[in-house]
């Protein structure tokens, strides 16, 4: 048997010394490795099915959560724990994500983010467009903590800034909110990078530098895609009317 295989083995040895054959083998190996890496990345992404609803207290997260799931208005109160439910993004029942509404209270929001951030396919950061001018520093502080988190940076979930309560006359536009947030985040970046590092290495949990060094911050510098939409969970007709969530719903279809 061994004697019968020897001519074939010798022919294989000669072919492996052929530069053309070696080039083909190297190319095939490279393609195989690329395919395995792609499958691994896709597998990790497909395992992340959560869309996190973040924001300050009274931004309208819980009403937005309820409207997306049922379409109906309901009275809400400040959340002290998370709420989750499966949201079907289309008529295709197999296409869905898990919406998770996280508390916005300052003493709770980071611990709940810590619990769910690894499962996040996408993040909806809800902003109160009416109270934005007086809350801009608090909004930027929380958003900064989200954006410099090492897990968020590594997974780069899609990020939507949902400018809620657009049914109110005094609501600020998405464009103005974006400009003001970029300005405040840039200021935070400067002050944080100038602060001394703690002895135990704790702090933001991510790099000191947000965005590109030497340039004023803007959202295009982030590793994740960031979009802004204007919406109203309450709706222009209040409790009896329909919510204005078209932009948010279209975005959820894209990220599902």
């Amino acid at each position: 048997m061994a004697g019968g295989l020897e001519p074939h083995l010798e022919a294989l040895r000669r072919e492996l010394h052929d530069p053309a054959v070696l080039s083909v083998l190297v190319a095939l190996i490279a393609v195989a490795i690329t395919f395995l890496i792609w499958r691994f990345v896709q597998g990790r992404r497909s395992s992340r099915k959560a869309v996190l609803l973040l924001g300050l207290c009274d931004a309208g997260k819980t009403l937005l959560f309820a409207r997306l799931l049922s379409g109906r208005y309901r009275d809400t109160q400040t959340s002290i724990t998370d709420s989750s439910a499966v949201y079907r993004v289309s008529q295709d029942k197999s296409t869905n994500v898990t919406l998770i509404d996280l508390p916005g209270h300052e003493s709770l929001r980071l611990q709940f983010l810590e619990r769910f951030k690894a499962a996040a396919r996408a993040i909806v950061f809800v902003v109160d467009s009416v109270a934005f001018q007086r809350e801009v520093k608090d909004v930027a502080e929380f958003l900064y903590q989200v954006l410099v988190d090492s897990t968020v940076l590594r997974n780069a979930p899609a990020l939507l800034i949902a400018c809620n309560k657009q049914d109110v006359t005094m609501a600020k536009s998405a464009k103005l909110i974006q400009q003001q947030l970029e300005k405040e985040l840039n200021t935070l970046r400067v002050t944080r990078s100038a602060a001394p590092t703690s002895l135990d290495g704790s702090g933001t949990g991510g790099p000191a530098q947000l965005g590109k060094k030497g340039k004023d911050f803007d959202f295009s510098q982030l590793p994740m895609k960031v979009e802004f939409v204007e919406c109203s969970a309450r709706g222009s007709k209040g409790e009896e009317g329909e919510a204005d969530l078209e932009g948010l719903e279209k975005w959820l279809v894209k990220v599902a």
Side-chain angles (χ1 to χ4, degrees), residues 63 67 167 232-239 241-244:
L63 178 55
R67 285 285 208 178
D167 55 293
S232 173
R234 184 177 177 86
S236 59
K237 295 182 179 179
E239 299 178 17
E242 293 185 0
D244 180 10

Side-chain angles (χ1 to χ4, degrees), residues 96-205:
N96 59 70
V97 295
T98 301
L99 290 180
I100 307 179
D101 175 28
L102 303 186
H105 193 279
E106 186 177 4
S107 64
L108 298 172
R109 58 197 182 209
L110 289 182
Q111 73 181 61
F112 277 90
L113 175 64
E114 183 70 24
R115 184 182 304 176
F116 292 104
K117 63 186 181 182
R121 174 183 290 252
I123 294 173
V124 178
F125 193 97
V126 185
V127 174
D128 183 336
S129 304
V130 179
F132 177 74
Q133 208 63 53
R134 70 172 182 270
E135 294 182 342
V136 59
K137 292 186 182 299
D138 292 334
V139 172
E141 173 74 27
F142 184 23
L143 185 56
Y144 181 90
Q145 291 171 317
V146 174
L147 294 176
V148 298
D149 183 272
S150 58
T151 300
V152 174
L153 283 172
R154 181 174 64 252
N155 291 341
L159 173 63
L160 182 75
I161 311 295
C163 305
N164 193 25
K165 305 187 182 181
Q166 289 291 319
D167 55 293
V168 181
T169 305
M170 299 300 292
K172 301 298 183 289
S173 69
K175 184 65 176 177
L176 185 144
I177 289 172
Q178 177 177 348
Q179 292 171 347
Q180 289 295 313
L181 280 178
E182 287 177 339
K183 181 180 177 181
E184 288 295 330
L185 287 168
N186 190 63
T187 300
L188 276 172
R189 177 179 67 171
V190 173
T191 56
R192 293 296 177 86
S193 61
T197 304
S198 60
L199 293 176
D200 62 358
S202 64
T204 61

Side-chain angles (χ1 to χ4, degrees), residues 58-118:
D58 300 321
K61 300 185 305 299
T62 302
L63 178 55
L64 189 151
F65 175 79
R67 285 285 208 178
L68 284 170
L69 294 172
S70 69
R72 295 189 296 271
Y73 177 92
R74 71 176 175 87
D75 291 326
T76 62
Q77 57 187 9
T78 301
S79 303
I80 59 172
T81 188
D82 61 281
S83 299
S84 64
V86 173
Y87 172 74
R88 305 196 186 284
V89 300
S90 67
Q91 297 301 317
D92 179 5
K93 293 185 177 182
S94 65
T95 307
N96 59 70
V97 295
T98 301
L99 290 180
I100 307 179
D101 175 28
L102 303 186
H105 193 279
E106 186 177 4
S107 64
L108 298 172
R109 58 197 182 209
L110 289 182
Q111 73 181 61
F112 277 90
L113 175 64
E114 183 70 24
R115 184 182 304 176
F116 292 104
K117 63 186 181 182

